[in-house]
Amino acid sequence: IYLGGTGKTPLTIKLFEILNKLNHNVATVKKDYSNQKDEQLLLHEKTTLIITKSRKKAIRQGLDKNYDFLIFDDGLQEMGIDFNFKFVCFKLKNWIGNGKLIPAGPMREKISSLKKFDAVFLNGYSDNFENIRDQIQNINKNIKIFRTFYQISNIEKLDINSKYLIFSGIGNPSDFKNILLENKFDVKKEMIFPDHYKY
């Protein structure tokens, strides 16, 4: 319900991995947006992916292939589908921004819509976690709250003593930079492109 860069795709991949390890037949679903080929490629590489022009067609494909679970990377605003579980993601650092709806702010729905969700994933670090948790619980006392963090998976292959130029084209490039700085990388310069930029 936030504009973007909240960690939906990494969460989709993690949920796929968990269900796959539990021996469930599972696929991920991504609606075919021409400006999101990067996410499609990532999901295709890491999961079993269904891409269609229509999410309802994806459900039909899933039924035809006898999948136990379909994990939708996005689509909570699709009123024609009743999801079994609805998860929402936020970056703790940004939380709800100014709280206003697009185009005045970053929200696709009002924060009061948390009433209809089963779980919220709060990504990253913030000194304001307890306050945000209390706000969420005041809206929905039954919602499950999870904290998530990124780790550098191949840090042992990288030379911390080198100087780095970093390159990013993601929703929240500052998070990418911050995790490198937290791990003592010497970042000398950065090149930032918009999310889903067509290089």
Side-chain angles (χ1 to χ4, degrees):
I1 64 174
Y2 191 94
L3 189 57
T6 57
K8 293 189 302 293
T9 301
L11 178 62
T12 298
I13 293 166
K14 192 67 181 173
L15 290 172
F16 174 88
E17 289 171 353
I18 291 167
L19 290 168
N20 208 29
K21 279 182 187 169
L22 293 170
N23 295 317
H24 289 294
N25 191 16
V26 57
T28 60
V29 176
K30 188 81 182 162
K31 191 170 179 181
D32 193 7
Y33 291 112
S34 60
N35 67 337
Q36 293 185 12
K37 296 297 182 191
D38 53 341
E39 287 181 4
Q40 292 171 16
L41 286 168
L42 183 60
L43 287 166
H44 179 70
E45 180 187 328
K46 302 279 187 182
T47 72
T48 303
L49 176 63
I50 298 172
I51 303 174
T52 59
K53 295 286 184 191
S54 151
R55 293 185 183 97
K56 288 184 180 179
K57 285 183 181 174
I59 292 172
R60 285 190 207 104
Q61 280 188 37
L63 290 169
D64 289 344
K65 294 185 178 178
N66 292 315
Y67 286 113
D68 301 320
F69 293 94
L70 294 177
I71 306 169
F72 288 76
D73 181 78
D74 57 14
L76 288 173
Q77 282 74 42
E78 179 116 12
M79 295 300 151
I81 297 175
D82 185 20
F83 298 97
N84 296 87
F85 297 101
K86 290 181 247 188
F87 302 152
V88 62
C89 302
F90 292 99
K91 282 285 167 75
L92 267 173
K93 183 178 65 178
N94 301 336
W95 180 215
I96 58 171
N98 65 5
K100 295 184 178 176
L101 298 178
I102 298 167
M107 301 293 289
R108 298 178 193 274
E109 299 180 32
K110 291 180 180 176
I111 193 61
S112 60
S113 72
L114 284 178
K115 288 179 198 150
K116 64 185 182 183
F117 291 105
D118 298 288
V120 59
F121 290 79
L122 301 172
N123 194 334
Y125 298 91
S126 171
D127 296 332
N128 203 24
F129 170 72
E130 287 78 14
N131 183 36
I132 292 170
R133 181 196 59 205
D134 291 346
Q135 286 179 55
I136 293 167
Q137 288 177 333
N138 283 337
I139 295 167
N140 181 347
K141 65 181 174 57
N142 296 316
I143 199 168
K144 303 290 184 195
I145 300 173
F146 297 95
R147 290 193 74 178
T148 60
F149 305 91
Y150 291 127
Q151 292 179 318
I152 301 172
S153 60
N154 63 341
I155 196 165
E156 71 286 346
K157 296 179 183 174
L158 303 168
D159 180 7
I160 300 291
N161 299 313
S162 293
K163 294 177 175 60
Y164 284 89
L165 175 145
I166 60 173
F167 176 99
S168 59
I170 53 176
N172 276 312
S174 62
D175 286 351
F176 172 54
K177 182 178 181 181
N178 288 341
I179 196 170
L180 294 172
L181 295 176
E182 285 161 11
N183 283 277
K184 311 295 186 219
F185 282 83
D186 186 4
V187 176
K188 291 298 185 187
K189 188 174 180 182
E190 58 185 315
M191 297 173 66
I192 299 172
F193 289 83
D195 199 13
H196 307 303
Y197 183 73
K198 200 166 188 176
Y199 299 102

